[in-house]
Amino acid sequence: MCGIVGYIGKQNRAAEIVLDGLTALEYRGYDSAGIALMNGNAMQLYKQAGRVQGLKDLMATDTTFKNTAVAIGHTRWATHGIPSVKNAHPHHNAHQSIMVAHNGIIENYQEIKDKLAATGYVFTSETDTEVIPHLIDYYFMRLNSFQEAIEATLRDLRGAYALLVMSSLEPDKLYAARLSSPLVIGVLSSGAIIASDPSAFVGRTKKVVYLDDYELAIVDSSGNYKLRDFTKAKAVNKRTELLDFDSSAALLGSFPHFMLKEMHDTPATIRMATQGRLRLETNTVKLGGLETVQDQLRHIDRIVIVACGTSYYAGLVGEYLIEEIAGIPVEVQLASEFKYRSEPFSRSTAIMAISQSGETADTIAALKKVENYGVLRLGVVNAVGSTIARMTDAGVYCHAGPEQAVASTKAFASQVTVLTMIALYLSDGSSPLYKPVLKELSQLASKTEQVLARSGAIKKAAKKYAESRDFLFIGRGYGYPCALEGALKLKEVSYIHAEGYAAGEMKHGPLAMIDKDFPTFAVATGGALLEKTLSNMQEIKARKGPIVAIVTDGDKKVNKLSNDTLPIPASLEQTQPVLITLVMQLFAYYVAAHKGLNVDRPRNLAKSVTVE
Ligand code: BG6
């Protein structure tokens, strides 16, 4: 869950290019950072505990610093060994002639460490990664070919890795290899940038080559690259692809935080997700990414959705939509649990993986589990060309553009929009909900604009409750997954203990917690279940619990029971979740901003978790 960046080329600006890339990848981990620079046959190494800015400051004060044309760098999210200079990457061999930056986990590192230590190798860090430069050194001593030494090392490693290797033994080459963890080459006119994801070189090139598992890339200073499959020791041919998003999408603009910017991207995100797909004139939905499996889809009688975090809650909304509109039974499972469950699967079951990054290890593992089950594997993914997108048989891209803030916001809106279209696509149009939902979906973007225009009231309510120690979120029906997502958002960015609960469950336990200091966020946006929700709010009121309620414009009933009401434009129950959740995302953001917290980089979290 780290970010790695390497540059090799004709420009003597490797330090700047790599440091800019690391800054863009900080959402992947930010507890320590390091960079190694190739200077002739020597290498300079800088490491710092803390953010990339600290590393820049360290280098700025070093008079011996000399810029160069080859460098590799790393921003870390600790797995093995505490965040410290000693454990920061790049790691190296005893002579500092081999440098390695690594994202992932080497599962058999202890075994390798013991073997190498027995032959005299000395280890200076607590990391799993440090075995790699020593093992390359070990093989180089025996094989006398640097490339073969790397390939032999890669064949010994177990686990997940994206690696960058540079050596003063071969100063005009950079090596990159991948197994499970993402890695992409950005091809420049004279050189290349290799990174965990394209946001590290956005604005410098759109020409990319995605590495697949078991691939090794050897890149020279002109940017020429050779690809090899290191398990079969043979060459691989691959064309470059073009990125489909522009740099502005990845830049902050006038917003104070990416989280706020990305919430304000929601209307455009919904328009991007429905563009060319929602056809009002013919009342149809076109999903090109599913057309290749249309025949199989007709025979699907069960869908199992696997996902993590916010994507999981989008999946829960998808469950309601697909069951109600398309009449297909859906089960939503946490990917980290799914992998270790043993349950029966019939060939007429489809697996649907939902992921913003497309690189979440638990979700990848869930897909791997069923790869030989003969079941259809579908994907709802934002990151184009990501691992999950390439593992699935068919799917739908969300086209939400890069999401930088660790807490996911616009991606949730695009996932739910796509799931609504999938429900319509899978239904044969006979559902009485088909046309109304299709029409309502076409108006959703403008309704989110109305919610954003009401940020002032949401900010005011957030300030009022910012010092709360606990918070409960309740909802029924489509409001239930929204309550879960609202609680997650508040937890993620404000560190307040928040729980999402089905409103009907209150009296079976959570009501015990309620008192005048324990506020509740209630989803009370009309629909068939409003009366039920009102009685749950009564139960809270009777225990003096403060209530913030999300209501529909023109509501007369709810505001009698709530201390604060946050209205959303009227909409069908089926299309309310994006509106309700946007209010809760804004609320969480304003609470965290009011508390002066690092909204985009909350403590202990990372944007995409690429290790199990
Ligand atoms: C977490 C992110 O690491 O992973 C969450 O902080 C996200 O925001 C979750 O929802 C799942 O990620 P993805 O990329 O698979 O949707």
Side-chain angles (χ1 to χ4, degrees):
M1 197 147 54
C2 309
I4 62 176
V5 183
Y7 169 77
I8 182 164
K10 301 281 182 231
Q11 304 169 49
N12 252 354
R13 298 172 43 224
E16 171 203 332
I17 292 171
V18 168
L19 290 170
D20 286 356
L22 291 179
T23 306
L25 293 186
E26 260 193 340
Y27 69 83
R28 303 176 65 86
Y30 34 88
D31 60 39
S32 57
I35 185 169
L37 301 138
M38 180 79 71
N39 267 319
N41 286 334
M43 292 200 272
Q44 276 182 297
L45 181 61
Y46 297 92
K47 297 188 182 187
Q48 182 75 9
R51 309 281 300 268
V52 175
Q53 187 54 49
L55 186 63
K56 287 182 181 171
D57 301 345
L58 175 72
M59 295 164 76
T61 54
D62 177 8
T63 52
T64 67
F65 163 70
K66 202 158 134 307
N67 212 330
T68 166
V70 187
I72 62 173
H74 183 274
T75 180
R76 184 169 187 241
W77 197 88
T79 53
H80 293 71
I82 59 161
S84 67
V85 171
K86 193 176 62 175
N87 292 331
H89 299 209
H91 286 285
H92 51 79
N93 61 339
H95 313 298
Q96 297 214 8
S97 60
I98 301 170
M99 291 286 172
V100 173
H102 166 223
N103 167 33
I105 287 185
I106 305 302
E107 286 163 5
N108 61 339
Y109 83 100
Q110 195 58 54
E111 197 188 311
I112 297 172
K113 198 170 182 172
D114 298 345
K115 179 182 112 183
L116 292 171
T119 63
Y121 281 85
V122 178
F123 291 81
T124 56
S125 80
E126 300 150 322
T127 66
D128 53 331
T129 303
E130 194 190 350
V131 297
I132 305 172
H134 291 303
L135 193 56
I136 296 172
D137 183 284
Y138 172 89
Y139 278 120
F140 184 66
M141 309 298 265
R142 289 158 182 74
L143 301 168
N144 207 20
S145 148
F146 195 65
Q147 181 179 319
E148 285 174 28
I150 290 186
E151 293 194 7
T153 298
L154 295 171
R155 285 192 287 272
D156 281 1
L157 300 179
R158 301 274 171 284
Y161 53 79
L163 294 178
L164 290 172
V165 183
M166 88 177 182
S167 170
S168 51
L169 303 162
E170 291 207 344
D172 56 352
K173 289 204 181 78
L174 259 190
Y175 290 82
R178 133 186 207 140
L179 177 57
S180 283
S181 301
L183 207 50
V184 56
I185 304 174
V187 181
L188 305 167
S189 53
S190 62
I193 303 174
I194 309 163
S196 299
D197 82 46
S199 54
F201 48 70
V202 76
R204 293 183 194 274
T205 180
K206 284 193 168 195
K207 275 174 73 175
V208 295
V209 179
Y210 290 97
L211 267 67
D212 280 313
D213 283 356
Y214 307 109
E215 283 181 357
L216 169 68
I218 303 135
V219 188
D220 69 20
S221 55
S222 321
N224 303 323
Y225 57 88
K226 275 192 310 178
L227 295 179
R228 290 174 56 77
D229 177 321
F230 58 76
T231 56
K232 305 190 185 92
K234 69 178 181 57
V236 174
N237 291 317
K238 211 174 253 186
R239 277 178 310 99
T240 59
E241 299 173 45
L242 273 186
L243 288 176
D244 76 336
F245 66 79
D246 60 33
S247 53
S248 65
L251 299 173
L252 202 46
S254 59
F255 289 93
H257 298 108
F258 275 109
M259 186 178 176
L260 187 61
K261 174 193 178 288
E262 285 154 7
M263 289 186 284
H264 280 262
D265 283 348
T266 301
T269 298
I270 294 168
R271 292 194 175 99
M272 282 293 287
T274 54
Q275 198 171 358
R277 294 168 168 174
L278 212 53
R279 309 224 158 153
L280 287 182
E281 66 287 359
T282 54
N283 274 325
T284 55
V285 174
K286 179 175 172 37
L287 296 175
L290 295 181
E291 280 165 8
T292 51
V293 293
Q294 225 162 0
D295 297 344
Q296 283 158 284
L297 284 172
R298 281 204 197 87
H299 306 293
I300 295 299
D301 59 9
R302 177 176 171 236
I303 296 176
V304 176
I305 293 178
V306 289
C308 305
T310 292
S311 297
Y312 171 78
Y313 296 134
L316 285 177
V317 178
E319 175 180 24
Y320 285 79
L321 288 163
I322 295 171
E323 289 186 343
E324 192 174 22
I325 299 171
I328 300 173
V330 175
E331 219 181 296
V332 188
Q333 296 195 26
L334 288 166
S336 53
E337 285 298 312
F338 175 82
K339 174 164 184 199
Y340 300 102
R341 276 183 64 170
S342 47
E343 64 195 289
F345 266 90
S346 73
R347 290 281 175 92
S348 55
T349 298
I351 295 283
M352 183 187 286
I354 304 178
S355 176
Q356 186 288 121
S357 62
E359 301 296 350
T360 300
D362 288 328
T363 311
I364 291 173
L367 284 172
K368 276 212 175 107
K369 171 187 164 182
V370 299
E371 74 186 330
N372 302 320
Y373 283 28
V375 295
L376 190 59
R377 298 189 298 172
L378 303 171
V380 173
V381 177
N382 187 37
V384 175
S386 59
T387 304
I388 292 173
R390 285 178 288 117
M391 280 176 87
T392 41
D393 307 307
V396 183
Y397 278 127
C398 294
H399 296 311
E403 191 176 61
Q404 306 263 1
V406 167
S408 184
T409 53
K410 65 173 179 177
F412 177 88
S414 67
Q415 288 162 344
V416 171
T417 302
V418 165
L419 288 163
T420 312
M421 289 192 287
I422 290 177
L424 294 169
Y425 184 85
L426 292 174
S427 85
D428 55 6
S430 61
S431 155
L433 283 168
Y434 184 88
K435 283 197 180 134
V437 170
L438 189 138
K439 186 158 171 289
E440 194 58 44
L441 197 54
S442 69
Q443 296 160 358
L444 186 59
S446 59
K447 291 191 176 173
T448 57
E449 277 157 355
Q450 293 174 43
V451 171
L452 290 167
R454 300 169 185 192
S455 299
I458 300 169
K459 187 173 181 178
K460 195 157 154 270
K463 261 187 166 162
K464 179 176 172 185
Y465 293 95
E467 300 318 320
S468 309
R469 215 187 42 163
D470 308 282
F471 230 112
L472 194 66
F473 286 69
I474 60 171
R476 281 179 180 266
Y478 285 92
Y480 171 45
C482 300
L484 295 169
E485 172 57 12
L488 176 65
K489 279 288 132 340
L490 194 62
K491 279 188 276 241
E492 280 178 302
V493 294
S494 77
Y495 317 149
I496 291 175
H497 162 241
E499 266 192 81
Y501 244 87
E505 269 300 288
M506 284 287 294
K507 48 192 173 298
H508 304 300
L511 199 57
M513 299 187 296
I514 298 299
D515 62 22
K516 63 175 180 30
D517 302 320
F518 199 132
T520 298
F521 216 118
V523 179
T525 50
L529 299 168
L530 180 60
E531 294 309 322
K532 302 273 183 227
T533 305
L534 287 175
S535 56
N536 298 127
M537 290 170 69
Q538 292 279 13
E539 292 157 5
I540 295 169
K541 198 112 197 95
R543 278 89 185 164
K544 305 204 172 10
I547 299 176
V548 184
I550 298 188
V551 301
T552 299
D553 280 350
D555 155 79
K556 299 254 176 311
K557 286 190 187 155
V558 182
N559 63 22
K560 292 196 192 79
L561 282 172
S562 56
N563 300 69
D564 298 275
T565 51
L566 299 171
I568 60 169
S571 174
L572 290 176
E573 266 182 275
Q574 292 74 15
T575 50
Q576 280 178 352
V578 169
L579 303 172
I580 294 166
T581 309
L582 182 53
V583 172
M584 293 172 167
Q585 292 168 351
L586 287 161
F587 182 85
Y589 168 78
Y590 286 121
V591 169
H594 180 74
K595 295 174 83 167
L597 297 170
N598 187 331
V599 176
D600 285 342
R601 305 277 177 270
R603 68 185 184 198
N604 306 341
L605 296 181
K607 182 69 186 167
S608 66
V609 182
T610 53
V611 287
E612 266 194 57

